[in-house]
């Protein structure tokens, strides 16, 4: 009922984790792999070298509506995530999230990762808001174009021998139509299979009223905003990029129940990733979301995702 395709890769379920949530360590990745309700897994965004990340506290949420994080890319270094001793353990499609600190790092990680035939694809993260002194590439269209040009060349080496390999991007939220057009025009120059919309809404600030303090430590309290509050922005980005590109869209942002999943798919998402709600609820979230989505589909008379994917009604 909820099988789907991303590029040429088949997923038996339309659910994934959002990169960053419970996907840094082996036990976390295996828990995702072993879930009956998850269709594919994605790693924590990796860098060239191991990183310990920002000082605690780095995460806060109010239980549902708003989360804020500034982890600072803690990860074991890309070698950990592309090691065949790790990737051979996975039975589901496995995507590597890459967030190199400069163009050269991204190129090196992509070059090395395409050698591992057990990796189903990459999600190039152009939208990490939390590394001090490093602006989000997704908001610098010239640099974005340059990186995509180089990465596309390398990925095509793998695609020439493996049509299944998936080249994906993770983008920040955009707000202006002119920016959607500019980014889509860049993306459409390359051989990109998927776009994940959206990363957290960068550099928000949450205040604790009682203590009159920020709630996380890094960057004086600034961090990426997630939770149900970002859903309308996520839906707008899903909708726009599904209209403006031929990429398969992975919806991410504000998903806490089956209705949210349904809305993402209605706006054009072929699969969804869950971040804040996965963080709050743990692995069980995927079983609940699947059951809730199946109930909605049954009630509305839909048998498969393509019955309603992108079929949002507009008012004339
Ligand atoms: C981190 C946050 C992000 O939103 C992201 O895309 C990558 C990394 C982090 O703080 O670790």
């Amino acid at each position: 009922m909820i099988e789907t395709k991303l590029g040429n890769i088949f997923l038996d379920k339309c659910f994934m984790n959002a990169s960053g949530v419970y996907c840094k360590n082996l036990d976390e990745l295996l828990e995702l792999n072993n879930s009956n309700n998850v269709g594919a897994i994605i790693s924590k965004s990796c860098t060239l070298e191991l990183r310990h990340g920002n000082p605690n506290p780095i995460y806060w949420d109010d239980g549902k509506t708003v989360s804020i994080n500034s982890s600072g890319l803690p990860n074991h270094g890309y070698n950990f995530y592309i090691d065949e001793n790790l990737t051979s353990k996975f039975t589901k499609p496995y995507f590597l999230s890459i967030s190199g600190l400069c163009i050269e790092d991204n190129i090196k990680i992509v070059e090395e990762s395409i050698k591992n035939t057990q990796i189903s694809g990459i999600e190039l993260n152009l939208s990490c808001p939390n590394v001090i002194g490093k602006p989000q590439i997704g908001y610098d269209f010239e640099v974005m174009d340059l990186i995509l040009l180089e990465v596309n060349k390398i990925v095509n080496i793998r695609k020439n021998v493996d049509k299944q390999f998936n080249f994906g991007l993770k983008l920040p939220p955009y707000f202006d139509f002119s920016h959607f057009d500019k980014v889509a025009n860049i993306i459409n120059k390359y051989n990109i299979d998927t776009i994940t919309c959206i990363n957290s809404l960068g550099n928000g600030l949450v205040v604790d009223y009682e203590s009159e303090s920020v709630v996380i430590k890094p960057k004086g309290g600034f961090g990426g905003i997630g939770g149900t509050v970002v859903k309308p922005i996520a839906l707008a980005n899903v909708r726009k990029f599904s209209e403006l590109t031929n990429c398969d869209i992975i919806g991410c942002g504000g998903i806490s129940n089956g209705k949210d999943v349904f809305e993402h798919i209605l706006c054009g998402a072929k699969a969804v990733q869950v971040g804040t709600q996965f963080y709050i609820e743990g692995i069980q979230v995927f079983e609940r979301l699947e059951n809730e989505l199946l109930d909605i589909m049954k009630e509305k008379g839909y048998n498969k995702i393509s019955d309603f994917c992108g079929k949002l009604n507009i008012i004339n």
Side-chain angles (χ1 to χ4, degrees), residues 165-204:
F165 194 79
N166 218 312
F167 179 14
L169 300 182
K170 180 140 176 204
L171 297 179
Y174 298 99
F175 312 106
D176 196 277
F177 281 3
S178 71
H179 294 155
F180 286 117
D181 290 334
K182 278 205 175 90
V183 173
N185 286 339
I186 296 170
I187 289 172
N188 287 335
K189 297 202 290 188
Y190 305 107
N191 199 357
I192 292 163
D193 301 286
T194 64
I195 307 173
T196 303
C197 306
I198 55 174
N199 205 325
S200 54
L201 219 154
N203 303 319

Side-chain angles (χ1 to χ4, degrees), residues 19 44-45 54 69-74 99 125 127-131 170 199-200 224:
S19 176
K44 169 71 185 167
S45 292
N54 292 336
N69 84 85
S70 181
S71 310
L73 274 173
S99 192
N125 182 357
S127 46
C128 173
N130 297 336
V131 180
K170 180 140 176 204
N199 205 325
S200 54

Side-chain angles (χ1 to χ4, degrees), residues 96 98-100 102-114 121-126 137 143-159 165-169 190-193:
L96 182 74
I98 300 175
S99 192
C102 59
I103 296 188
E104 292 74 24
D105 288 6
N106 281 309
I107 289 171
K108 171 78 178 164
I109 299 169
V110 176
E111 275 172 349
E112 294 303 317
S113 62
I114 62 164
I122 59 168
E123 183 181 272
L124 186 64
N125 182 357
L126 301 178
I137 298 162
V143 175
M144 183 172 170
D145 199 353
L146 205 68
I147 292 190
L148 293 184
L149 175 73
E150 295 306 322
V151 170
N152 190 57
K153 281 186 211 158
I154 304 163
V155 171
N156 280 344
I157 298 170
R158 167 79 177 259
K159 287 192 173 196
F165 194 79
N166 218 312
F167 179 14
L169 300 182
Y190 305 107
N191 199 357
I192 292 163
D193 301 286

Side-chain angles (χ1 to χ4, degrees), residues 23-305:
C23 56
K24 177 180 151 209
N25 302 324
L26 172 64
D27 58 330
E28 296 168 330
L29 289 162
L30 283 178
E31 186 175 56
L32 282 160
N33 184 68
N34 295 339
S35 161
N36 289 328
N37 314 94
V38 169
I41 58 185
I42 184 157
S43 73
K44 169 71 185 167
S45 292
C46 64
T47 50
L48 208 53
E49 309 289 346
L50 168 154
R51 284 174 61 89
H52 295 293
N54 292 336
N56 284 318
I58 55 171
Y59 175 89
W60 176 94
D61 67 60
D62 69 351
K64 181 168 176 155
T65 315
V66 183
S67 71
I68 183 166
N69 84 85
S70 181
S71 310
L73 274 173
N75 76 96
H76 297 291
Y78 81 97
N79 271 314
F80 174 89
Y81 300 98
I82 68 167
D83 187 331
E84 289 191 2
N85 288 317
L86 176 94
T87 57
S88 62
K89 293 184 169 62
F90 301 141
T91 51
K92 296 185 198 300
Y94 168 64
F95 299 107
L96 182 74
S97 172
I98 300 175
S99 192
L101 298 181
C102 59
I103 296 188
E104 292 74 24
D105 288 6
N106 281 309
I107 289 171
K108 171 78 178 164
I109 299 169
V110 176
E111 275 172 349
E112 294 303 317
S113 62
I114 62 164
K115 293 178 190 163
N116 182 334
T117 56
Q118 292 162 344
I119 296 178
S120 300
I122 59 168
E123 183 181 272
L124 186 64
N125 182 357
L126 301 178
S127 46
C128 173
N130 297 336
V131 180
I132 293 156
K134 299 272 174 195
Q136 293 179 68
I137 298 162
Y139 289 134
D140 185 334
F141 301 143
E142 269 174 42
V143 175
M144 183 172 170
D145 199 353
L146 205 68
I147 292 190
L148 293 184
L149 175 73
E150 295 306 322
V151 170
N152 190 57
K153 281 186 211 158
I154 304 163
V155 171
N156 280 344
I157 298 170
R158 167 79 177 259
K159 287 192 173 196
N160 285 337
V161 290
D162 175 7
K163 293 270 172 287
Q164 295 262 307
F165 194 79
N166 218 312
F167 179 14
L169 300 182
K170 180 140 176 204
L171 297 179
Y174 298 99
F175 312 106
D176 196 277
F177 281 3
S178 71
H179 294 155
F180 286 117
D181 290 334
K182 278 205 175 90
V183 173
N185 286 339
I186 296 170
I187 289 172
N188 287 335
K189 297 202 290 188
Y190 305 107
N191 199 357
I192 292 163
D193 301 286
T194 64
I195 307 173
T196 303
C197 306
I198 55 174
N199 205 325
S200 54
L201 219 154
N203 303 319
L205 188 70
V206 172
V207 173
D208 179 65
Y209 170 79
E210 292 300 330
S211 64
E212 302 175 14
S213 168
V214 294
V215 295
I216 59 169
K217 179 168 179 180
K219 283 185 165 182
F222 287 77
I225 304 293
T228 57
V229 71
V230 305
K231 189 177 74 168
I233 299 161
L235 294 178
N237 277 258
V238 166
R239 181 80 180 149
K240 267 287 164 196
F241 283 106
S242 68
E243 284 174 351
L244 296 173
T245 72
N246 289 320
C247 302
D248 288 335
I249 309 300
I250 304 172
C252 182
I255 293 176
S256 75
N257 59 41
K259 188 168 152 277
D260 301 325
V261 179
F262 182 81
E263 290 176 11
H264 265 269
I265 297 172
L266 198 65
C267 288
K270 291 190 71 180
V272 294
Q273 296 180 351
V274 187
T276 298
Q277 194 62 32
F278 177 31
Y279 190 93
I280 292 169
E281 200 172 328
I283 196 72
Q284 295 305 322
V285 72
F286 295 105
E287 184 178 357
R288 180 175 64 77
L289 291 177
E290 175 172 345
N291 289 334
E292 290 175 5
L293 177 63
L294 287 172
D295 283 349
I296 290 169
M297 288 169 65
K298 199 169 160 197
E299 192 186 304
K300 287 180 174 276
Y302 296 132
N303 297 313
K304 49 188 189 309
I305 283 182

